[in-house]
């Protein structure tokens, strides 16, 4: 049975952005998005939501709050979209686009499910996933999965929106 998290990843809709980029090395007709642009859309929505919740405009400080709370996980989710071929981002290597699609058998794998949950849901680093894994989880398989995912590639510097708020 396909894990809940893996199923969610396979059913993500690609985000939209105001500008399109063409990137060499990506086969097919794909729109290449910018993570800072898509992130700004999310941060704008966060600012609106927080303003509605508080009954007044929270101002540009909402962008800093969003960056602090969500930036790292946001980048990781976008990176997995890139690996799955859902959405192509120019900040990640073009040859990685859709590379996880070659490993569909992993969608039913308990080790992949464990790694994805720890990295995406629990916001853990890869080394923490390795050392916190239960003893009954095959270590060689876990190393393979972590090598395949390599979420360290999703570490991007957050944009500075202060000037454009």
């Amino acid at each position: 049975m396909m894990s809940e998290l893996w199923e969610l990843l396979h059913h993500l809709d690609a985000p939209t952005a105001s500008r399109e980029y063409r990137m060499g090395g990506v086969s097919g007709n794909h729109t290449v998005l910018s993570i800072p642009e898509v992130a700004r859309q999310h941060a704008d929505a966060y600012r609106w939501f927080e303003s509605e919740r508080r009954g007044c405009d929270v101002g540009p400080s909402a962008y800093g709050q969003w960056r602090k709370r969500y930036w790292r996980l946001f980048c990781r989710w976008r990176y997995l979209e890139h690996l799955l071929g859902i959405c192509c981002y120019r900040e990640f290597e073009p040859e990685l686009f859709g590379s996880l699609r070659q490993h569909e058998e992993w969608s039913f794998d308990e080790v992949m499910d464990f790694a994805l949950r720890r990295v995406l849901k629990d916001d853990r680093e890869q080394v923490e996933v390795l050392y916190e894994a239960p003893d009954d989880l095959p270590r060689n398989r876990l190393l393979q999965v972590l090598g395949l995912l390599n979420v360290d590639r999703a570490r991007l510097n957050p944009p500075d929106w202060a000037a454009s708020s």
Side-chain angles (χ1 to χ4, degrees):
M1 182 171 170
M2 188 179 284
S3 81
E4 223 176 272
L5 191 58
W6 191 261
E7 203 167 307
L8 172 68
L9 284 169
H10 274 55
H11 290 96
L12 287 174
D13 289 326
T16 58
S18 59
R19 282 184 244 148
E20 293 182 10
Y21 300 92
R22 299 299 304 155
M23 179 184 281
V26 177
S27 61
N29 188 18
H30 299 283
T31 299
V32 181
L33 300 176
S34 163
I35 286 186
E37 269 192 37
V38 176
R40 180 61 186 249
Q41 292 172 2
H42 284 257
D44 285 341
Y46 175 79
R47 178 180 175 174
W48 177 86
F49 176 78
E50 286 298 311
S51 296
E52 288 292 313
R53 191 173 67 84
R54 295 181 191 176
C56 64
D57 185 6
V58 295
S61 66
Y63 297 122
Q65 292 168 2
W66 186 88
R67 272 194 311 267
K68 187 176 180 180
R69 279 185 165 171
Y70 301 112
W71 177 253
R72 187 163 84 170
L73 281 175
F74 176 83
C75 289
R76 287 180 179 185
W77 279 94
R78 302 301 76 82
Y79 176 64
L80 282 169
E81 286 177 347
H82 188 81
L83 291 180
L84 287 168
I86 294 168
C87 196
C88 187
Y89 294 96
R90 67 181 170 147
E91 289 79 10
F92 304 127
E93 296 88 359
E95 55 276 357
L96 294 175
F97 181 69
S99 62
L100 209 51
R101 290 266 183 218
Q102 302 166 16
H103 302 278
E104 288 289 328
E105 73 279 2
W106 294 84
S107 61
F108 301 98
D109 188 271
E110 68 175 303
V111 178
M112 176 65 88
D113 189 54
F114 172 80
L116 285 174
R117 283 185 186 284
R118 299 298 284 161
V119 165
L120 295 174
K121 188 172 180 244
D122 302 334
D123 194 20
R124 295 290 204 229
E125 295 291 338
Q126 288 195 153
V127 71
E128 292 174 306
V129 173
L130 184 61
Y131 287 109
E132 295 172 355
D135 292 335
D136 61 336
L137 212 62
R139 290 283 179 212
N140 286 340
R141 184 77 155 181
L142 184 57
L143 286 169
Q144 258 184 320
V145 166
L146 292 174
L148 184 64
L149 293 176
N150 195 4
V151 294
D152 289 339
R153 288 184 180 136
R155 288 184 186 193
L156 303 172
N157 292 326
D160 180 20
W161 294 314
S164 62
S165 305

